[in-house]
Amino acid sequence: MITISGLVAGYGAADPILRGVDLTAAPGAVTCVVGPNGAGKSTVLKACSGLLRPRSGRILLDGDDLAGLAPAEIIRRGVVQVPQHHGLFPALTVRENVMLGAYVERRERERNRRRFAEIAELFPIVAERAGERAANLSGGQRRAVEFARALMLRPKVVLLDEPSVGLDPRARRQLAAAIGTLNSEGVTVLIVEQNVKFGLSLAHDAVVMEGGKVLRSCPAPDLLADPGMAALFLGGGAGGGGDEPKGDA
Ligand SMILES: Nc1ncnc2c1ncn2[C@@H]1O[C@H](COP(=O)(O)OP(=O)(O)OP(=O)(O)O)[C@@H](O)[C@H]1O
C-alpha cells in the first residue's frame, strides 16, 4: 500500500507543481490517476520513484516513508517505475533487457536466473523471443517486456507512466493483458494514463488530479459512469481517449 499525504514537489526554484497531494494506492489493486495536461500526474510518480525530491509531505510504503530516498534505495524497498518512453535497450536481447531489472541485485545470479524463468512463464513473449534483439518487437510486445523487467525484483508497487502512449488498439489489448498479469502477481499498480477510458477500464480505483491537487478519489467504475467526467477531460484537453470502450481490454 502506498499512502501519499501532503505531498509538495516541483522543479528547481519555481513554484511547486504538487501543492499538497493526498492519495492512496490500495494493496494489490490498480489505481489510475487521471486529469488534464499539466495537472501533475507524472510528477507524483517521479516523487514516488525518487527521481524528484519532494519539498514536503510523506510517501508511505507499508508505513515506511520513501520521501527523499535515493531511487536505487526506493527500488530496493519494492517500488519500480516503468518509464514512459524508450524503456528498452534495442540492441540488447529480450532476456538481457529483462535481467537488467535486477541490476541493483546483480550479484545474486542464481536467484535472478530462477526469477527470469518464472517471469518467462508469466509473459509468453519473453520466453518466445528471449534471444532476439528488443529492436525487433512491436510496441505492445515492448511494453510487455518492460513490465516483465519491472517484476524481476518482486516489487510491491509498480508505477506506470502513460503506458498506452503510441499504441494501436491491438497493442493496447496486449498492454491491458500485461497489466492484468502484473496485478495477478499481487503487485500494487499506480498508473497515470492520458487515455482516460482505457486507464479507468483497467483500474479498481480512480484519482482525479487538477492543478497539483487531488479533486476526487473513488472506485474507477463510479468515475466512468459520471457524466461530469467527459466535461472535465474533454474540456481540459486531455483528450478523453474515447476510442477504447470499457471492457474492451
Ligand atoms: N523536468 C521538468 N522541469 C520543469 N518543469 C517540469 C518538468 N517536468 C514537468 N514539468 C512541469 O510540471 C507540470 C506538471 O507536469 P506533469 O508531467 O506532472 O503533468 P501531467 O499531469 O503528467 O501532464 P501530462 O499529461 O501533460 O504529462 C507541467 O507544467 C510541466 O511543464
Side-chain angles (χ1 to χ4, degrees):
M1 147 113 75
I2 286 251
T3 308
I4 297 174
S5 55
L7 184 64
V8 176
Y11 301 93
D15 286 345
I17 300 295
L18 304 182
R19 301 182 297 124
V21 167
D22 301 304
L23 72 83
T24 296
V30 179
T31 299
C32 182
V33 183
V34 298
N37 290 119
K41 307 179 296 293
S42 299
T43 302
V44 170
L45 296 192
K46 284 184 216 163
C48 289
S49 60
L51 296 176
L52 183 66
R53 196 184 180 88
R55 294 181 193 172
S56 59
R58 303 208 294 175
I59 303 169
L60 299 182
L61 173 67
D62 300 334
D64 293 330
D65 198 356
L66 304 178
L69 296 180
E73 178 59 24
I74 290 175
I75 290 172
R76 279 198 195 92
R77 304 262 186 122
V79 178
V80 173
Q81 179 161 357
V82 176
Q84 188 175 343
H85 297 299
H86 310 303
L88 298 183
F89 293 94
L92 299 185
T93 65
V94 167
R95 185 176 199 280
E96 287 164 341
N97 270 287
V98 173
M99 292 298 274
L100 278 176
Y103 185 76
V104 297
E105 303 278 335
R106 58 194 174 280
R107 289 191 188 83
E108 301 285 345
R109 286 198 185 155
E110 183 51 30
R111 193 176 71 192
N112 293 339
R113 199 190 55 73
R114 282 200 306 272
R115 183 61 179 152
F116 177 84
E118 288 171 7
I119 286 173
E121 280 191 24
L122 284 175
F123 292 95
I125 189 74
V126 172
E128 288 159 16
R129 312 282 286 270
E132 215 171 304
R133 279 158 47 113
N136 297 344
L137 302 180
S138 72
Q141 291 168 336
R142 280 182 208 187
R143 292 293 141 82
V145 173
E146 288 165 11
F147 293 177
R149 178 173 61 188
L151 284 182
M152 274 301 286
L153 292 180
R154 300 178 187 279
K156 296 175 183 167
V157 179
V158 171
L159 310 170
L160 303 178
D161 194 1
E162 299 188 5
S164 79
V165 164
L167 298 186
D168 63 24
R170 181 164 173 271
R172 279 207 296 271
R173 282 193 290 276
Q174 292 173 341
L175 168 68
I179 292 174
T181 303
L182 281 184
N183 192 227
S184 70
E185 281 275 280
V187 173
T188 300
V189 180
L190 184 59
I191 172 172
V192 163
E193 197 31 87
Q194 280 279 354
N195 189 327
V196 174
K197 287 192 178 171
F198 174 74
L200 293 180
S201 72
L202 300 171
H204 304 96
D205 298 314
V207 174
V208 181
M209 282 187 69
E210 194 175 28
K213 292 200 165 203
V214 171
L215 287 185
R216 181 175 172 187
S217 297
C218 63
D222 291 5
L223 195 60
L224 272 170
D226 183 341
M229 189 185 87
L232 175 65
F233 295 113
L234 298 176
D243 55 347
E244 189 76 24
K246 174 169 161 35
D248 182 49

